[in-house]
Amino acid sequence: MKTNDILGMNARNRLYTSQNSAYARQICHSKFKTKQLMQNQGIAVAKIIAIINDHEELNKFNWKKLDHDFVIKPSNGSGGKGIVVFINRNDDDDYLDTMGQKWTSEEIFLHCWDILEGKYTSHPGALTSVIIEERVAIHPQFAKLSYHGTPDVRVIVYNHIPVMAMLRLPTKESEGRANLHQGAIGVGIDLATGITTRAITADGTPIRFYPGTKRKLNGFVVPFWQQVLLTAVSAADAAQLTYGGIDLFIDKDKGPLVVELNTSPGLNIQLANNQGLKRRLQRVSDLEVLNPEHGIKIAQALFASNLTNKFLPPDEKVMIAFTQEGEVLGDKTKQKVSFAVDTGRYRSAISRELAIDLRLCEPEDLLWFAPTETGEKAPVIEVTFILAGKKIKTAMIVSKQLDKSKQKIRLGRQDLSNFIIRG
């Protein structure tokens, strides 16, 4: 990770958090308002069982109706403070939390009283309510990578574009909470594929295996990945959040559920991904984004991780020549094309005439504009091609110069990781 690419706390607050409106801060600072907004916008959240706003409502609340597992949390807490997850009620009417600790109704009552008194609030002076909501069951794919808790995914969104993501896994040290400050594990995720790449402990130390096991933390595919990104961007847009972190649970049936929004998400996500946020944020700051789907296309074109190549078996890589025949897929059509390998360039380029013929220059295909050697700005579009049996989806610069070339596509280094080039 390059030092100049790292985003520090002061720069985050001054350059990015400050861009959030008062409305966005108001929504994000209240879990209840966040849930209300998400539900109104048709964005999935965990079901609310009850809201307790004051001591009078607390005194009248009937705890007997909580027969199944549930979660109690403050409406404006942070860092997992004040959150207790209950999984059962025994024959003695005691409630069991995820760590196996027994709670009487009186003890739960006192905990809720503390929440109302502001003991766990992250915003002193703000009114705090008690939220009682359904417990989201752990997705089966996470079962062996979690300790008595539900993992979550954090996605950093800026300018309607997801720029970085991290899976947070509860551990024994974190007492089943998916919070790095309390001891959870952070695992970087490749935005293009949803594959986990590397992991860190709470203090930023790299770790290969889940604690106490030989289960690798990289190479794991996060379920519902495209839906996770779409939900994150849609949630940020609904809250008018310019820069922030969206936390999501993944239910095995319902898919991603928004947990909360953060205007100042932590910066350890950079260590988990071994990538700096500063550079990524700068790259998307002035891009025009049409809708959430467009923002995701931009992110996956810009920030695909090379680390995922290590999970491709060597025998799946194929050999190609410096000039090779292949196909480009257009809108309901495809065309045979001659490709040229150009390792001197990073991003691939496609002939302007070919892109127009295949109807790849439609507005919905435009990702952004890139500066050229002549000082002009060329459009960058989404292109899918087939070469040596490999189907690859990527972003290419539209080049007028290639209109006169026999090879209508020049492949840059970004799209050559699946191939071995023979001389």
Side-chain angles (χ1 to χ4, degrees), residues 93-353:
D93 279 347
D94 291 332
Y95 296 84
L96 299 178
D97 65 19
T98 52
M99 298 302 295
Q101 182 179 344
K102 293 182 180 180
W103 293 64
T104 64
S105 297
E106 290 76 15
E107 288 172 327
I108 297 177
F109 176 90
L110 290 174
H111 180 72
C112 293
W113 188 281
D114 287 341
I115 290 176
L116 293 173
E117 289 293 310
K119 181 177 180 179
Y120 306 104
T121 182
S122 55
H123 311 289
L127 295 176
T128 305
S129 301
V130 176
I131 297 177
I132 304 176
E133 66 181 25
E134 67 173 341
R135 173 177 173 252
V136 177
I138 186 171
H139 193 285
Q141 289 184 230
F142 294 132
K144 295 182 178 180
L145 293 174
S146 182
Y147 180 86
H148 293 299
T150 303
D152 69 17
V153 175
R154 169 165 288 181
V155 181
I156 304 295
V157 176
Y158 177 55
N159 185 29
H160 318 287
I161 299 170
V163 294
M164 198 168 283
M166 171 175 64
L167 174 65
R168 300 189 297 185
L169 301 173
T171 63
K172 185 175 182 179
E173 182 183 349
S174 72
E175 297 185 343
R177 295 182 177 90
N179 189 282
L180 262 63
H181 295 297
Q182 297 184 1
I185 291 171
V187 189
I189 307 174
D190 172 44
L191 288 175
T193 61
I195 297 175
T196 58
T197 55
R198 70 191 302 270
I200 58 167
T201 60
D203 62 2
T205 303
I207 182 174
R208 292 183 59 198
F209 304 101
Y210 188 79
T213 75
K214 289 296 182 180
R215 299 185 187 104
K216 288 186 177 181
L217 292 168
N218 62 6
F220 175 86
V221 182
V222 177
F224 297 102
W225 182 241
Q226 288 296 120
Q227 194 174 338
V228 166
L229 293 180
L230 181 60
T231 302
V233 178
S234 299
D237 288 353
Q240 300 177 25
L241 186 62
T242 303
Y243 170 81
I246 290 78
D247 296 341
L248 308 104
F249 287 141
I250 301 179
D251 184 270
K252 67 175 183 177
D253 299 316
K254 301 174 184 176
L257 306 173
V258 174
V259 180
E260 61 179 295
L261 311 181
N262 305 272
T263 56
S264 302
L267 299 170
N268 278 353
I269 193 171
Q270 299 175 102
L271 296 176
N273 284 274
N274 199 34
Q275 294 286 326
L277 265 172
K278 180 180 176 182
R279 172 65 175 149
R280 292 195 175 192
L281 295 171
Q282 290 172 342
R283 294 181 74 179
V284 304
S285 62
D286 59 352
L287 298 184
E288 183 177 348
V289 182
L290 302 177
N291 50 48
E293 291 83 0
H294 186 216
I296 293 167
K297 285 183 180 180
I298 292 174
Q300 294 181 327
L302 282 175
F303 306 129
S305 170
N306 291 329
L307 286 177
T308 55
N309 296 330
K310 68 190 289 187
F311 306 115
L312 187 68
D315 58 359
E316 289 191 15
K317 294 194 176 186
V318 296
M319 189 171 290
I320 59 172
F322 276 98
T323 302
Q324 184 93 12
E325 296 298 314
E327 293 180 323
V328 182
L329 306 185
D331 183 15
K332 300 180 181 179
T333 185
K334 61 184 177 181
Q335 187 169 324
K336 291 184 177 180
V337 176
S338 181
F339 290 73
V341 172
D342 185 354
T343 57
R345 65 182 304 137
Y346 173 73
R347 190 172 300 285
S348 300
I350 183 172
S351 155
R352 179 175 179 273
E353 289 181 352

Side-chain angles (χ1 to χ4, degrees), residues 32 48-63 65-66 70-75 108-109 111-113 115-117 127-133:
F32 177 57
I48 294 178
I49 298 173
I51 298 288
I52 301 175
N53 295 302
D54 53 40
H55 299 88
E56 183 179 354
E57 291 182 6
L58 178 61
N59 287 323
K60 294 179 179 179
F61 188 76
N62 179 17
W63 298 102
K65 69 179 183 179
L66 298 176
F70 59 95
V71 180
I72 288 180
K73 60 175 63 175
S75 61
I108 297 177
F109 176 90
H111 180 72
C112 293
W113 188 281
I115 290 176
L116 293 173
E117 289 293 310
L127 295 176
T128 305
S129 301
V130 176
I131 297 177
I132 304 176
E133 66 181 25

